[in-house]
Structures are given as C-alpha cells and as structure tokens.
Amino acid sequence: MGRYVVRRVIQAIPVILGATFLIYALVFLLPGDPIQALAGERRADPTVVAMLHNRYHLDDPFFLQYWHYLVGLFQGDFGEDYRGNAVVDVMTRAFPYTINLALTALVIEMVVGVVAGVIAALRRGRFIDNLVLISTLMVISIPTFVIGFVLQLLLGVKLHTDYGIDFFPVSFNEDAGFRAYLLPAYVLASTSLAYIARLTRTSLIEVMRADYVRTAVAKGLSPLRVVVRHGLRNALIPIVTFLGMDLGSLMGGAVITEGIFNIPGIGHQLFQSVYLRERTIVVGVVSALVLVYLFTNLVVDLLYAVLDPRIRYE
Amino acid sequence: MTDTTKPSGARDGGPRLDAVELLGARRENLVPGTPLLEVDDLHVEFATRDGIAKAVNGVSYSVSAGETLAVLGESGSGKSVTAQAIMGILDMPPGRITAGKILFRGQDLLRMSSKARRAVRGRKIAMIFQDALSSLNPVLSVGFQLGEMFRAHHGTSRKEAKDKAIELMERVRIPAARQRVNDFPHQFSGGMRQRIMIAMALSMEPDLIIADEPTTALDVTVQAQVMDLLAELQAEFHMGLILITHDLGVVADVADKIAVMYAGRIVETSPVHELYARPAHPYTKGLLNSIPRLDQKGQNLYAIQGLPPSLLKIPTGCAFNPRCDRTQDRCLVELPPLVPVLDAEGADLPGRHSACHFWKETLHG
C-alpha cells in the first residue's frame, strides 16, 4: 500500500512536466505580443517593450524560455506575470473561491444526485423514475451557460424583483458568505448531478438484482437495510470514482460559471490570463489543476480498496 | 387442478395465528405427524416479453419436522421457483402467484402482511443458496453478515453479534473462526463459503431450511462434507429440510422422500429408496437410467431424448409426451393426475404417487 502510493507519486512527475511543457508551448504559439497586450489599444513605448522583452526573456528561443521557467519552478518559484505580480500570490488569492465553489458543487451533486438516483431505481418505470430520467436528460443536453443565465435571471433577478425574496445574489458578493456560492455551485454541478443520478439509478438497479441482495431479503432484513446496507453499499463504488474524477473537472470547469456569476476564482483568472497571454499564470494555474486531478485520482484509487475489499494494492 | 390428490389445507379456515404467536410457537408443540409446511396447489407464472411463462402449475407437497424432502428436477422444472415462493423472495413482478396456498404451521404465508412474512423469513424458514460466492455480499465481512441475523431479529448489539457469529462459524466447523470472522467471502474456499451460508441459515434455529442446490457449485469431495454437515445439523435441531437438486446421487443418502418435478408439476412422489428401486413415472425412469454406472463402463450413456419444454408453450396433455417412449394418443390430450400407485397385488404403497396414465406398466412392466 505504502509502496503503491510512492509509485503513484513518482509516476505523477512526468505527467506534471508534460503538462507544463504542453501549456507553455500552446501559450507561446498564441499570436500577438504579450507586452503590447498590456498596453491595450495604444502603441506601447518601444523602449519599454524592449526592456520588458529582455526582462522576461521574450526574445529567446522557445526551449530556452521554457528552460528558464523550469529552473525557476524547481526552485519553488512560479515566476511573475508581466505586471510584476508573483504568480503564487495570484493563485493563492483566486484558489479559495474556486475551492469553495467546487466543494459546494460536489456536495450538491452527491446528495441530490444519489438521492434522485436511488428513488428512481426503487420506483423503476413509475412516474418519479421517468421524471428523473427526462429531467436529467434535459440538463445534460442544455449547455451550462444557458442553465447559468436562466437560473441567474429566475432565482437571482426575478425572485427578488417579483417576489421580494433576496436570497441568491445575482453577482458574487463576498458579504453574502456561503449563500453566494449556492446558485453558482448548483449551476456548476448540474451536468454532473444529472450523470450521477443516472449512474446511481443504473448501478442500484443492477445491484438489486444480485444474488446477495436476494440473500439479504431471505434473511428477513427490513427493506431499508436491504437497500442501504446491501444495495447502495455496493452500488456506490462506481459513483465514488465519478465523484473523485469530477472534483478536478469542477475546478477546471468553473471558467464559465465563474464568468456568469462574476466570481474572482481560478477560472476567471485563467480566462483573463489567456486573453492577456500571461504565460506564467496560465501554466501555473493549469499545472495546479493537473495536480488536483492526480491527487483526487490517487485518493479515489485508494478509496476503492476501502470500498471493495477484493481490491488490494501491493 | 386435477393433478393434486394429496390431502391439503385440512386446517384451512381455522383460526389465524398472528405473527407473534407464530414466532412463539415451539417445535415441541407441533402435533406429531402434522406437516410443518404444506404447499397446496401452487401456481406461479412470469410475464415475459414473449408471453406468460407458467413456471409452477399446481404443485403440492409437505414437510414435517425432522423430515427431508428432496425436490428433484432439471432446470426450469419449477423447483426453485416453488422454493422462492415459500420464502417470499420471488421477483414480483414479473412473477405472480395465481393460485394456491403455502401453509406454515397451518397459517397461509401468502395471506400474511409483509411485516409478518418478514418475521418468518430467515427466522422460522431459512434458505441456503446454490452459489455461496455470489450469494454472500462481497464487501461485508462474513462476521458482519452472520451477526446481522441477530442484530436484525433479536436487536443484539454489534459486539455480541460478532461473538454469536464466531460461535456459528465454530458450529459449522470453520477452522480458526475467531481469526477469520472479519475476513471477506472471497477469502474463503468454496466449501467454507457454503458452510457460512449454512451457518447463516441455522443462526435463528429455524423450523425449516430450504437448500437450493447447496452442493452444485462445489467439487465432489467437498459436496459430501457439506451434505453430511447439513444432515447432521438437521438431525440435531430436528428441522424440516427441503433439498432442491438435480443430482440423484446427493439425494439418496439424506432424503426421506422425493418429489420429482417436470414442467412445473410434480410427476412422482415416493419414499427415497423405493424410487430408486422401482420408478413409477417414465421421466423418473429416464433420469435414473442416465446416471453413469461403473458396471456399464465403455457403453454409451443413456439420455432422455429431446429437451425440456418451453414454459411459454407447455405441451397439451402430459407435458412429458414429446420425450416419452410410452406416449399414446391419450397422453397428447389428457393431463394425467397425480394418483396413488399400488403394488402388483393392488395394495396401497404409502407415499407413492405418479402422474402417468401408464404408471402400472411403468412400475410393474
């Protein structure tokens, strides 16, 4: 088990390096001069441009530039953006928002998705099952930004203007505390929630047909115990995998949601940085997201062994 | 239905015991000779995409305390479906019990509330399944699964339940029970897993155990050990045992009486040794002839021609008529009732019935 973890951590190193290289190259390939982008529409002063080019090694060949970045990275220095802000500061400012948002979304999709899936599975073929199936299909087919804007309009604006209930802030508002995250988290979670409801339903229907569930019934256990202890306990294994993988997607996928609700999180930052060709920030943020992916994947794999005793890591 | 001539439902319409009374009923209080369980004219069908599959078509049998009934038949003969109906674990839908009674201590299980039924299930009637690996929950320890019986039925604490589980494992002779109580089903061998299933069924000291092909998934040496254990424990607790099997060899040593099923009906009943000596139904005869024998080494093994009928389209008349070597015109139209058979002098043979128009020729010919 310990050796397994060590092996997985070692395996993560080339993945991270590869990711930084790819992102660095992609941003490098973007047309336009980043220093000119700083100046916007105005002509930038050529001497300033030359100075900044020199400072950020922008005239060096690509591999040399990447090498400079890597050397910094290994010394724990993520570099600075073209305005002189340390990338670490930019990230530590933005990440808490995104983590709050993603975790809230994860809880919402887990609770609502699993409950909806269980109800649908146990009432298979009935009205409630069809309701879950059709509504989840709709959520899956509608793009997130549509759901986002519609809910923002209905719950953020209309609920306030028409009914006088000011519960969901239209735009992110730090004073509203946890409440501010609810609506955006729901929007962010919506697609995954639909998948989880469907996955839970399928998985539980499958498990409830298993021999050991029949045994549980034959033992004279209560229906609740049969479903929860013997059914759901087994049906949850694929769902835990999905949830673990999804935490990474939720953080990386927050770009649109953070844009709609104006949340100053990592997605927001990423979008701006790509726009401004802020290479160091883009690479830093994406690498951090890759780390999150790798970490949650490892946790899921370890959790597997806890959930299913037949799995052992040597 | 015409094929049921066994005495049935004698106490039908009598006072209904409620669940509490039933649970309190002691084995000793049972009037000797009265059956523990009587299945009476049971009909079960399944709605399938292609139509209605008639899995059980008027089955009647009974088991007394301390008695072993072997139900014999090939796959699809309705033997397991009958057992599932007794346990109340049929999938309904698509399954449906269309007629019949299942009397346990004189009380019809089919008319009980689901709560009362659940109290009987596992506690008074327990079941052992064929494949212990798939029948045990893979993610729960065997100790938990055994202890769960005590926790669910007696409200025993978690810790006490574990001690009970160890006791049970020792009782079915699982070595190092205390060390292995927290192991998971996949860590045990096939024979040990089936012992755990037996321990689980025994935990509440039920009146009746239904064993659905308990040894099919095991290799031959282990089969014998498991059967011996089951027979020994049955004698110790004076339980009724319904042994469902397609293996004639398993039956001979442990059963008191046999019911042979074909296409959802009982075609022959008999005390165990008489059946082997002189079958009274061509199907039983065919089954006995298809057992490999050492003195016939090198010869072709006899096999009953044809295939079992589709339950969606059971042949009219006797269901066995397309495969029988005695088939006459009468067999194609007239369903043979299960009638008592008589010996050559016309004297009654107790416990023997056959559902063949030509039982005389089969038995004596």
Side-chain angles (χ1 to χ4, degrees):
Chain A
M1 168 88 173
R3 283 177 59 188
Y4 176 79
V5 175
V6 170
R7 203 167 68 218
R8 286 286 299 262
V9 170
I10 292 171
Q11 279 170 358
I13 295 170
V15 176
I16 302 257
L17 279 180
T20 58
F21 178 78
L22 269 180
I23 302 302
Y24 204 88
L26 286 175
V27 182
F28 182 83
L29 288 173
L30 282 175
D33 180 45
I35 304 303
Q36 178 55 48
L38 280 177
E41 296 296 311
R42 291 177 289 112
R43 277 278 304 146
D45 181 349
T47 51
V48 176
V49 171
M51 192 196 83
L52 286 175
H53 268 241
N54 188 34
R55 176 167 172 191
Y56 294 110
H57 311 288
L58 288 179
D59 295 326
D60 290 353
F62 167 73
F63 281 103
L64 201 57
Q65 288 190 40
Y66 179 62
W67 177 249
H68 283 302
Y69 179 76
L70 266 193
V71 168
L73 204 59
F74 276 110
Q75 292 162 349
D77 178 12
F78 281 84
E80 56 182 35
D81 68 6
Y82 299 128
R83 292 171 229 209
N85 302 314
V87 173
V88 175
D89 291 343
V90 175
M91 290 207 295
T92 44
R93 215 177 316 123
F95 254 110
Y97 296 106
T98 303
I99 290 171
N100 283 345
L101 182 66
L103 288 180
T104 314
L106 196 73
V107 170
I108 291 176
E109 69 181 52
M110 187 163 68
V111 174
V112 182
V114 169
V115 168
V118 169
I119 293 173
L122 297 180
R123 295 275 177 276
R124 194 183 174 192
R126 313 263 189 86
F127 173 76
I128 189 92
D129 182 25
N130 287 314
L131 185 73
V132 168
L133 285 179
I134 292 169
S135 61
T136 50
L137 187 65
M138 278 170 63
V139 170
I140 291 169
S141 2
I142 300 171
T144 312
F145 67 87
V146 176
I147 296 175
F149 281 125
V150 169
L151 287 184
Q152 188 181 40
L153 180 69
L154 292 180
L155 296 178
V157 180
K158 293 274 182 192
L159 199 65
H160 188 195
T161 55
D162 296 5
Y163 299 96
I165 302 167
D166 184 15
F167 187 76
F168 299 109
V170 179
S171 177
F172 184 76
N173 173 3
E174 213 140 350
D175 303 331
F178 178 65
R179 202 151 49 85
Y181 288 105
L182 280 178
L183 192 56
Y186 185 79
V187 172
L188 181 61
S190 57
T191 312
S192 304
L193 191 158
Y195 278 117
I196 284 181
R198 288 177 155 246
L199 190 63
T200 308
R201 176 185 178 272
T202 317
S203 180
L204 188 60
I205 286 174
E206 183 75 34
V207 166
M208 291 304 282
R209 269 199 291 253
D211 285 353
Y212 53 80
V213 171
R214 190 186 55 186
T215 308
V217 175
K219 282 162 91 174
L221 306 180
S222 68
L224 184 74
R225 209 181 162 89
V226 171
V227 170
V228 175
R229 264 289 175 194
H230 293 268
L232 207 52
R233 175 70 176 72
N234 283 278
L236 278 181
I237 296 173
I239 294 153
V240 168
T241 323
F242 184 92
L243 282 172
M245 306 277 212
D246 205 41
L247 184 62
S249 318
L250 286 176
M251 294 183 67
V255 178
I256 293 169
T257 313
E258 289 185 358
I260 294 171
F261 292 96
N262 214 14
I263 300 172
I266 217 73
H268 204 74
Q269 188 65 53
L270 196 62
F271 181 75
Q272 281 191 331
S273 305
V274 171
Y275 190 73
L276 293 172
R277 315 280 182 272
E278 289 281 12
R279 207 181 298 163
T280 43
I281 295 186
V282 175
V283 178
V285 168
V286 172
S287 304
L289 288 176
V290 170
L291 262 182
V292 171
Y293 262 104
L294 291 172
F295 179 72
T296 48
N297 259 314
L298 179 60
V299 170
V300 165
D301 282 348
L302 295 180
L303 214 54
Y304 246 177
V306 177
L307 287 173
D308 190 339
R310 286 167 297 183
I311 296 170
R312 281 273 165 274
Y313 297 116
E314 301 307 331
Chain B
M1 282 289 129
T2 45
D3 58 346
T4 54
T5 54
K6 299 180 74 183
S8 63
R11 276 155 291 111
D12 180 36
R16 276 188 68 173
L17 295 152
D18 64 18
V20 182
E21 258 181 275
L22 192 67
L23 291 178
R26 302 294 299 251
R27 232 173 315 235
E28 305 85 76
N29 295 350
L30 208 65
V31 184
T34 21
L36 197 61
L37 181 94
E38 281 181 81
V39 178
D40 179 27
D41 193 25
L42 186 73
H43 287 71
V44 184
E45 50 187 47
F46 290 91
T48 70
R49 206 165 293 181
D50 305 316
I52 289 174
K54 298 192 170 199
V56 177
N57 305 300
V59 163
S60 303
Y61 57 60
S62 67
V63 195
S64 306
E67 189 180 45
T68 300
L69 165 73
V71 181
L72 206 73
E74 52 202 334
S75 338
S77 61
K79 54 196 195 314
S80 293
V81 173
T82 310
Q84 285 171 13
I86 296 170
M87 278 309 283
I89 53 170
L90 269 180
D91 287 327
M92 298 199 283
R96 208 156 66 89
I97 295 174
T98 49
K101 288 198 259 316
I102 299 172
L103 301 172
F104 177 67
R105 294 181 174 280
Q107 194 186 353
D108 193 350
L109 292 173
L110 298 177
R111 289 193 303 166
M112 263 183 203
S113 72
S114 58
K115 206 176 163 195
R117 193 85 196 267
R118 200 164 74 225
V120 173
R121 204 183 290 154
R123 189 157 172 182
K124 292 278 136 182
I125 308 179
M127 189 153 177
I128 298 166
F129 295 97
Q130 181 182 132
D131 181 359
L133 181 59
S134 65
S135 298
L136 290 167
N137 195 324
V139 303
L140 300 174
S141 72
V142 298
F144 180 92
Q145 294 186 63
L146 287 169
E148 199 177 23
M149 293 295 285
F150 297 96
R151 293 174 61 197
H153 289 285
H154 295 332
T156 315
S157 74
R158 196 179 272 257
K159 203 191 157 307
E160 246 179 284
K162 182 170 275 186
D163 292 337
K164 295 264 192 191
I166 295 168
E167 246 172 68
L168 277 173
M169 287 168 75
E170 280 165 353
R171 170 156 254 162
V172 294
R173 293 197 287 274
I174 292 174
R178 190 163 291 279
Q179 288 81 48
R180 303 212 64 185
V181 67
N182 290 325
D183 282 2
F184 293 91
H186 70 276
Q187 292 167 303
F188 289 85
S189 68
M192 289 299 148
R193 275 197 289 266
Q194 196 55 281
R195 281 166 197 260
I196 290 162
M197 283 300 289
I198 292 172
M200 200 183 283
L202 278 174
S203 58
M204 296 289 114
E205 303 189 7
D207 296 342
L208 178 71
I209 286 193
I210 303 173
D212 189 354
E213 312 215 7
T215 58
T216 308
L218 306 174
D219 59 54
V220 184
T221 46
V222 182
Q223 273 185 12
Q225 292 169 10
V226 168
M227 272 325 294
D228 288 348
L229 176 72
L230 196 58
E232 181 192 315
L233 292 165
Q234 183 215 359
E236 187 184 331
F237 291 106
H238 200 59
M239 294 178 298
L241 175 65
I242 298 178
L243 182 65
I244 296 164
T245 183
H246 60 247
D247 187 344
L248 282 158
V250 167
V251 170
D253 303 327
V254 290
D256 298 308
K257 57 184 191 182
I258 292 187
V260 182
M261 286 189 70
Y262 188 80
R265 287 173 206 277
I266 291 180
V267 294
E268 178 168 3
T269 68
S270 168
V272 66
H273 293 295
E274 288 181 42
L275 184 100
Y276 285 88
R278 287 192 305 165
H281 194 284
Y283 175 61
T284 318
K285 200 165 194 170
L287 284 182
L288 291 171
N289 283 340
S290 46
I291 300 175
R293 277 164 43 180
L294 283 176
D295 58 348
Q296 291 176 344
K297 219 172 165 181
Q299 297 174 36
N300 276 342
L301 189 61
Y302 175 83
I304 303 174
Q305 52 170 324
L307 293 167
S310 156
L311 296 174
L312 295 165
K313 231 182 126 218
I314 295 172
T316 53
C318 174
F320 190 56
N321 72 50
R323 306 172 73 184
C324 185
D325 45 19
R326 278 186 199 279
T327 304
Q328 310 282 317
D329 289 347
R330 189 183 172 195
C331 303
L332 303 178
V333 288
E334 195 185 327
L335 181 70
L338 188 67
V339 293
V341 298
L342 310 170
D343 70 11
E345 285 79 46
D348 198 25
L349 291 167
R352 297 213 61 177
H353 297 77
S354 168
C356 179
H357 293 305
F358 303 103
W359 61 265
K360 268 188 205 134
E361 291 80 349
T362 313
L363 186 65
H364 306 304

